[in-house]
């Protein structure tokens, strides 16, 4: 039984590792870290998903995991805690986030609106809503992490994110539509 599992793991690794390396590079992971990101992808797959899936389903899951690992890599490699929404870094972060296509309400808004409009709306929010919007909706940080960074309760964090989304929907002409 263990022999069969080892053979499945090896064949899956050999089949997909080259394309995952290319994909990781295309997501901006430096050459020196590509192997680590690809290895983390396979470890995550082996720890949580079936080796008996169809080849197409395996590949799709590996790609999804790799994209998430690339996002994590870029978050961890960032040396600054906060950035100005007026900065070039903010614009670049939005471009990077859009490449990963993380499925959030912000992505649905971003697909149909320009970055300048979104920046304008966020600039008009109160400071506490701006912080929550940038950390959660733009940077994609989980609510638990946003709570820790801002030093607020889970309920307060959830409320700020909800209010920020409502402001974005209202200001960008999306009242009444779910995102």
């Amino acid at each position: 039984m263990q022999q069969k599992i080892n053979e499945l793991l090896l064949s899956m690794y050999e089949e997909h590792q080259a394309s995952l390396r290319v994909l990781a590079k295309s997501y901006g992971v430096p050459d020196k870290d590509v192997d680590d990101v690809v290895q983390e992808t396979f470890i995550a797959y082996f720890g949580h998903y079936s080796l008996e899936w169809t080849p197409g389903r395996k590949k799709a899951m590996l790609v999804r995991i790799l994209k998430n690992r690339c996002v994590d890599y870029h978050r961890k490699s960032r040396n600054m805690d906060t950035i100005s929404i007026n900065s070039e870094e903010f614009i670049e972060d939005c471009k990077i986030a859009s490449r990963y296509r993380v499925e959030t309400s912000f992505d649905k808004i971003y697909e149909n609106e320009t970055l300048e409009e979104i920046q304008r709306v966020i600039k008009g929010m109160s400071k506490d809503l701006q912080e929550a919007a940038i950390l959660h909706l733009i940077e994609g940080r989980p609510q638990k992490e946003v709570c820790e960074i801002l030093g607020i309760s889970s309920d307060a964090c959830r409320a700020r994110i909800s209010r920020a989304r409502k402001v974005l929907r209202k200001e960008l002409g999306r009242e009444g539509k779910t995102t």
Side-chain angles (χ1 to χ4, degrees):
M1 179 70 170
Q2 185 63 36
Q3 178 71 19
K4 182 182 178 190
I5 291 172
N6 289 343
E7 289 173 8
L8 284 171
L9 293 175
L10 184 58
S11 69
M12 188 172 147
Y13 180 81
E14 289 173 350
E15 181 179 351
H16 298 291
Q17 57 89 15
S19 61
L20 291 176
R21 280 189 172 87
V22 170
L23 190 58
K25 287 180 185 180
S26 76
Y27 285 123
V29 176
D31 289 340
K32 68 180 181 64
D33 296 321
V34 166
D35 287 338
D36 292 338
V37 171
V38 171
Q39 183 178 7
E40 289 172 9
T41 299
F42 280 103
I43 290 169
Y45 182 94
F46 299 151
H48 296 95
Y49 302 102
S50 172
L51 296 173
E52 303 297 325
W53 282 357
T54 64
R57 189 171 180 194
K58 285 180 192 176
K59 184 175 182 178
M61 184 53 68
L62 284 168
V63 168
R64 169 58 70 196
I65 294 169
L66 179 80
K67 287 179 181 181
N68 291 337
R69 293 291 181 247
C70 290
V71 170
D72 291 344
Y73 173 84
H74 287 293
R75 277 189 198 142
K76 289 176 187 174
S77 68
R78 209 180 283 144
N79 291 330
M80 298 188 338
D81 291 332
T82 59
I83 60 172
S84 167
I85 62 175
N86 297 322
S87 72
E88 290 297 318
E89 186 178 351
F90 173 81
I91 294 169
E92 186 59 32
D93 283 350
C94 288
K95 289 177 183 174
I96 289 171
S98 71
R99 284 198 333 224
Y100 297 122
R101 305 309 315 146
V102 177
E103 291 301 321
T104 65
S105 298
F106 180 75
D107 282 334
K108 293 176 184 173
I109 294 169
Y110 182 73
E111 289 173 2
N112 297 317
E113 304 295 332
T114 65
L115 179 59
E116 291 80 24
E117 290 176 298
I118 294 169
Q119 281 183 289
R120 176 189 55 78
V121 172
I122 291 175
K123 283 180 192 177
M125 293 179 185
S126 65
K127 186 176 191 270
D128 56 335
L129 293 185
Q130 278 184 15
E131 292 170 338
I134 290 170
L135 291 171
H136 184 71
L137 301 175
I138 293 172
E139 293 183 7
R141 295 175 188 249
Q143 284 188 15
K144 182 178 179 183
E145 187 177 341
V146 174
C147 294
E148 292 170 6
I149 291 170
L150 298 179
I152 58 177
S153 70
S154 178
D155 290 338
C157 181
R158 192 172 22 262
R160 287 182 188 183
I161 291 168
S162 176
R163 288 195 308 264
R165 283 185 176 133
K166 286 179 185 174
V167 169
L168 282 167
R169 280 194 296 265
K170 179 181 177 192
E171 294 295 317
L172 298 172
R174 303 221 166 270
E175 292 180 276
K177 296 182 181 180
T178 58
T179 57

